Amino acid sequence: MSIQFYQGDCLELIKSIPDGSVDMVLTDPSYSSGGLFAGDRKASTRAKYCDTDYNGAARFQNFSGDNMDQRSFTEFMRMVLNKCRQKSKAESVCAVFVDWRNIAAMIDALQAAGWVYRGIVVWDKGNCRPIPNRFRNDCEYVVWGTNGPRKTEYIDGVFVGAGCYHIKSVPTKQKHHQTEKPVELLEKLLAICETGGTVLDPFMGSGSTGVAAVNTGRNFVGMELDPGYFETAKRRIEEAERSVV
Ligand SMILES: C[S@@+](CC[C@H](N)C(=O)[O-])C[C@H]1O[C@@H](n2cnc3c(N)ncnc32)[C@H](O)[C@@H]1O
């Protein structure tokens, strides 16, 4: 199994990957979200996503890239996803997390980057507080597409994924990153990529996608801009490698 990580801006780093080498892009970029108005979005990520110190949430360092307005976010994601597509094989899959506020922007960005838009997978986190006179926002979304056509024959052992996964968020006390995704969920999403395939995560945060790739026998290429989170990702992925040997 090959595991590679790079610290820096993914827009630059992606250039170093060989063209046509990636089987799946599975990533969770900074959503540039956390509020409806420009002023709300510009707050620090700690203020937006951990507004109390409940269960030690204030221990997290802030993370980068979360203060774009919606037009800048769409264009930035188009550039990143376009570079990812250049590095991806024909029929490969791109799956990108987003929340309800920027989902339309992400669908536009994925398509403008040249991926064939295939739909949305729902992650039911099951832990949103009830708000009177409103529907709950207790789901996040995975916008996904393919690099051109992708086979759909029913053959023995073929992957058939769900449209919705009910998996609890990581409890705050156990988190390594403010917006960490559960490894169990990532493993289920990675199942669409063949065992032994190569997974690219240009926004790896604390490395949850890398841990899921190691646990399920996929190669991994991860990138992270913030040195603190990069070190956490490296440590977690190396621990996962030791525990599967
Ligand atoms: C939503 S978090 C990912 C969390 C991750 N899924 C986890 O479970 O820990 C997005 C990460 O992307 C990083 N980031 C933002 N802009 C970046 C860029 N241009 N290049 C690389 N990483 C970037 C942020 O520092 C942040 O840690």
Side-chain angles (χ1 to χ4, degrees):
M1 210 167 18
S2 154
I3 307 293
Q4 299 166 51
F5 358 77
Y6 303 94
Q7 193 261 311
D9 182 351
C10 63
L11 266 177
E12 283 305 310
L13 294 172
I14 293 171
K15 293 177 190 162
S16 63
I17 302 174
D19 286 354
S21 61
V22 171
D23 296 276
M24 180 171 189
V25 178
L26 175 56
T27 197
D28 172 30
S30 307
Y31 291 173
S32 281
S33 183
L36 278 181
F37 302 104
D40 306 334
R41 294 201 181 128
K42 288 200 179 344
S44 74
T45 57
R46 208 190 285 132
K48 286 195 286 189
Y49 304 125
C50 323
D51 54 353
T52 66
D53 190 25
Y54 182 67
N55 278 334
R59 74 185 186 282
F60 297 117
Q61 67 160 94
N62 288 307
F63 62 86
S64 300
D66 206 60
N67 295 125
M68 284 176 246
D69 62 40
Q70 201 168 57
R71 294 175 76 189
S72 313
F73 176 76
T74 310
E75 176 56 9
F76 173 71
M77 286 311 306
R78 185 199 66 76
M79 289 192 290
V80 175
L81 296 180
N82 178 264
K83 284 196 161 53
C84 289
R85 194 175 65 78
Q86 285 165 17
K87 305 301 172 181
S88 296
K89 296 177 186 169
E91 295 196 43
S92 59
V93 171
C94 178
V96 192
F97 280 88
V98 72
D99 74 357
W100 60 276
R101 296 180 188 88
N102 267 339
I103 191 167
M106 189 63 85
I107 295 168
D108 286 350
L110 180 111
Q111 293 183 87
W115 295 91
V116 181
Y117 173 48
R118 298 291 182 187
I120 294 159
V121 179
V122 178
W123 169 35
D124 171 12
K125 303 184 280 187
N127 67 347
C128 177
R129 70 194 157 95
I131 307 175
N133 288 321
R134 294 202 192 168
F135 297 105
R136 288 176 190 235
N137 289 314
D138 49 5
C139 296
E140 292 185 31
Y141 306 94
V142 179
V143 172
W144 79 282
T146 58
N147 194 10
R150 184 172 163 93
K151 286 188 283 293
T152 55
E153 298 109 300
Y154 284 100
I155 49 172
D156 275 354
V158 74
F159 166 84
V160 181
C164 179
Y165 291 93
H166 306 271
I167 294 177
K168 289 255 185 261
S169 325
V170 182
T172 304
K173 276 187 185 155
Q174 292 167 26
K175 273 187 179 173
H176 306 85
H177 192 290
Q178 290 163 48
T179 62
E180 185 169 330
K181 301 298 175 286
V183 170
E184 182 191 351
L185 170 67
L186 298 164
E187 288 177 0
K188 291 198 186 309
L189 298 173
L190 281 183
I192 199 170
C193 167
E194 272 182 33
T195 309
T198 296
V199 178
L200 168 63
D201 182 357
F203 302 97
M204 71 175 167
S206 66
S208 311
T209 308
V211 173
V214 169
N215 290 350
T216 59
R218 274 84 179 159
N219 302 309
F220 179 70
V221 183
M223 296 161 186
E224 169 57 43
L225 186 56
D226 290 352
Y229 283 126
F230 176 79
E231 287 306 319
T232 305
K234 193 163 169 294
R235 178 177 51 75
R236 288 181 73 205
I237 296 167
E238 285 170 352
E239 274 168 21
E241 280 183 286
R242 283 192 293 276
S243 65
V244 294
V245 173

